[in-house]
Every structure is written in C-alpha cells, then in structure tokens.
Amino acid sequence: MSDRLKLLTPATLTLENKSYSLPTYMGVEGEKAIDITKLRSQTGYVTLDDGYGNTGACESAITYIDGEKGILRYRGYPIEELAEHSRFTEVAYLLLYGELPNSEQLLGFSSRLNESSIVHEDVHHFLSGFPRGSHPMGILATMVASLSTFYPVPDQLDEATEIQIVANLVSQVRTIAAFSYKKSIGEPLVYPSIKYRYTSNFLNMMFASPVRDYQPDADIDSAIDMLLILHADHEQNCSTSSVRTAGSSLANVYAVITAGIAALWGPRHGGANQEVIKMLEQIHAEGGDGTEFINQAKDKNSGNRLMGFGHRVYKNFDPRAVVLKQHCDKLLNKPGLNDPLLDIARRLEEIALKDDYFISRKLYPNVDFYSGLILRAAGIPTDMFTVLFAIGRMPGWLAHWREMIHGEHVTIYRPRQIYTGEILRHYQDINQRA
Ligand code: CMC
C-alpha cells in the first residue's frame, strides 16, 4: 500500500455468525475503500461485481475523476485548464512523467517524438496486404502489434529503452493512423516532417499529397489538439483496464497497447464517436427531429441506445463534453462550415435532457456526443474517428503501463467468478448422446 493512503477504522463483516475485520483506506481526494485482498482466504467468499463498477483494481496517481461533481484532473491539473492552455505533447509528458515539462524538457520530448515518427520502412509491406475498405482500427491494432517484431523489447528494460519505446508508440501511432487512411483511399503515403508540430504533422500526413499541399487551418489544428488532450486519459476505463490486464502478465508492451486498441474499438467505448455520426446522419436522412430515435433508444427491445449519452462514471455531466461543446460551437460557426448535423445534435440533446427516462438514469451527453462533429469539420472521415481517440489515449495507456511495471510488485490480473454451468457429469460415448 502506498503511504499516500490513509488507514481508517476497519470495517466489520459478519458472515455465517462470524465477524471479520477488513482494513479500510482513504485516498488523497477522500475516496474510501474496503481492502478485500484477504477476503477469500479468510472467509471463503469472493465479491460479485459485474462490470467492476464498485471495484478499485489498483492504486493510481495519474488521473482523478469525481463523476458526481463532473471533475477530471490529470496529475492534479483540471482538464479545463489543460484544454485551454496546453498542447497535446505537453499533456502527454505530464501524464507519462508526472509533472508539466519545463522548456528544455518539452523541447527534448518533442524532438524525440519527431525523430521517432518514421516507422520502419518494412512495415509498409503489412499495409499493402490489407484489403481495400479495411477498418482503420483493424489496421492500427495489427500494425501496432507488428511493431514488437521491428523494435524488439529486451527482457530487462533499462530506462533509455523504455523512454524510446514510449516515444515510438506516442509518435508512430499517429504515423500509422495517417498511413491507414492513405491506404484506404489509395493515395501514396505522406511521411512525417520535422517542419510540423505533433497535431499538424498528423493532419499533413492525412491530407497532403504529391499534387496538393495541405493548407493548415489554425482553428482546426487547435480543435484537434484539444480533442486529443480531452481523450488522453480517463483512469480505469475499459481500454486502460485492458492495458493493465495484458500488462500484468508482463507481455510485450506493443502487444499490451494492442489490447487497449482492441477494447477501445467497441461502440460502447471509443467506437461511440463513429456511432454518434451514423445516428445523426440517419435522423437527417429520415427528416425527423430525433423524437422517433429517442423513443427507440428508450425501448430496450429496439437494441438502440442514444449514442454519445450516458457514462459509467459521470452522473451529472461529462466535463470533457462541456469543453468540447464550447469549442464545437466556435468551430462550426466558422463561415463555410455549416453542418446540419450540429442542429440535429443540439435538438436531440435538448429533447433528451427534458425526458424523464434520461433524467432518472442520469444520462447526459458524453465527450463523444460532440467530438464527431469537430472531426467532421476537420475533414476526418467517420471510420477514422476511433483512431483519433486511440492517438489521444496513447499517453494515458503508456502512463498506466509504466505506473504498473514500476510499482512495488506486479500482480497478475486474475478475477474470480461465480460458476453457474453444469455440475459434474461424465463423458458419454457419441452413440449414446441425445
Ligand atoms: N441510451 C439509452 N439508454 C441508456 C443509455 C443510452 N445511451 N445508456 C444507458 N442507458 C440505460 C440502460 O439501458 C440502463 O437502463 P435500465 O436501468 O432501465 O436497465 C441504464 O441506462 C443504465 O445503463 P448501463 O448500461 O447499466 O450503464 P453503464 O454505466 O454500464 O454504461 C455506457 C455506460 C457508456 C456504456 C452507456 O451509457 C452507453 O452505452 N452509452 C452509449 C455509448 C456511448 O456513448 N459510449 C461512450 C462513452 S464516453 C467515451 C469513453 O470514455 O469511452
């Protein structure tokens, strides 16, 4: 246990007429926890917590969330301040190394990212093997896993190698993402360039071609950079927990990050931004005001949910959605950028926020409700949205991986279960089976 945890009065658990004393702790922001690490050995019971909604799987000093109050802080800094004043590379450094960098540290980090941005030339053979129309998240996951073969990781990691691995992943995820887009549209790859900062470098690789220079737009560049900041970490979410789970077996770090990418892809996690746009397009095509879609979302049998609404942790508002909505209005009100989907999104939000179904379940717009509109304004195709989320989340995943491997000891993640299958039965010859 870290010395930042305060020991509280133990809890008493009574089971089958026997009492057990369980240690309780309080974190630095007042979150309280019952320590059940010895529960099974002392009582024979395990806890049952479907989806881990009440389980603190680890201690962490990276990100703090208070879902009731709508608070999100990276290393103590409010997300609103970082979104307003910082750039993504600075936030990445903060998450990874614990402090905001001074000028020299930031310059060193940025230069390393620049130098690490070129993926091994042979990686291109993989790219040419993917069929046309492959989802870029599939390409990204495969390519990131393949980096383990191009940049072998020694069994004993020294500090210099670890710093280089982190730089490779933060920088090359962006190069691979842009390459996967170029591959999908059949255009030649554009290489990273020392001329650009992190985000504009990505936009240049996406949109420049031998016959067309990329025309930088400061508003789009800063909106995408801010979006990456807002996605950079979110404590023990599904993909980060997957990274920690895979990492706890001490697997190769490129494979560990691939586990995070795979988990992020799902429509209830990072894939939601793509689903939001599909939903808005559907409403636009049908010409309604969204009421019909909302009715379907309320009907469990329809299989539809109001995408971009609800969050496991935020039960009042998602602070990232608030920042993004302000930016969205500013960007989408620019001359020439009038997106009819924005009006539909605003209308949906208005209807849902007055509807008792959503109010009683504390369902509010999350970060993905507006992120897709910003990405559309930047010209990013819909199936690249989740890839952008992955670029943003990379420093967070790596910060958690580092925190875990540098912890006092790495405990392999291995939850228990309550078995509900067949009880003991014996093998039957195939001719005797029903
Ligand atoms: N539309 C309609 N009903 C919903 C929605 C929704 N978007 N979200 C939750 N509900 C209902 C759900 O049916 C359940 O109703 P009941 O109590 O009657 O059974 C209740 O609200 C609680 O839902 P839950 O699935 O138990 O809640 P959860 O905390 O496990 O799920 C969630 C959180 C994000 C998976 C869910 O709200 C959802 O599927 N939202 C839509 C997908 C989405 O926008 N995901 C992006 C999350 S933010 C980006 C990120 O960090 O990954």
Side-chain angles (χ1 to χ4, degrees), residues 234 237 267-270 272 297-298 300 304-312 315 318 320 357-358 361 363 366-368 389 393:
H234 215 228
N237 58 86
R268 292 201 177 172
H269 188 13
K298 287 161 37 178
K300 297 233 176 344
N304 283 338
R305 282 189 168 194
L306 185 56
M307 298 314 285
F309 256 70
H311 200 276
R312 169 59 64 82
K315 298 300 175 195
D318 177 342
R320 304 166 301 172
Y357 174 94
F358 295 92
R361 287 170 180 76
L363 302 170
N366 60 50
V367 67
D368 285 330
F389 194 150
R393 189 53 58 88

Side-chain angles (χ1 to χ4, degrees), residues 12-32:
T12 306
L13 173 71
T14 307
L15 278 173
E16 298 168 8
N17 297 324
K18 267 176 126 181
S19 286
Y20 302 89
S21 177
L22 300 173
T24 61
Y25 294 96
M26 187 164 71
V28 293
E29 289 285 356
E31 295 159 301
K32 294 179 198 143

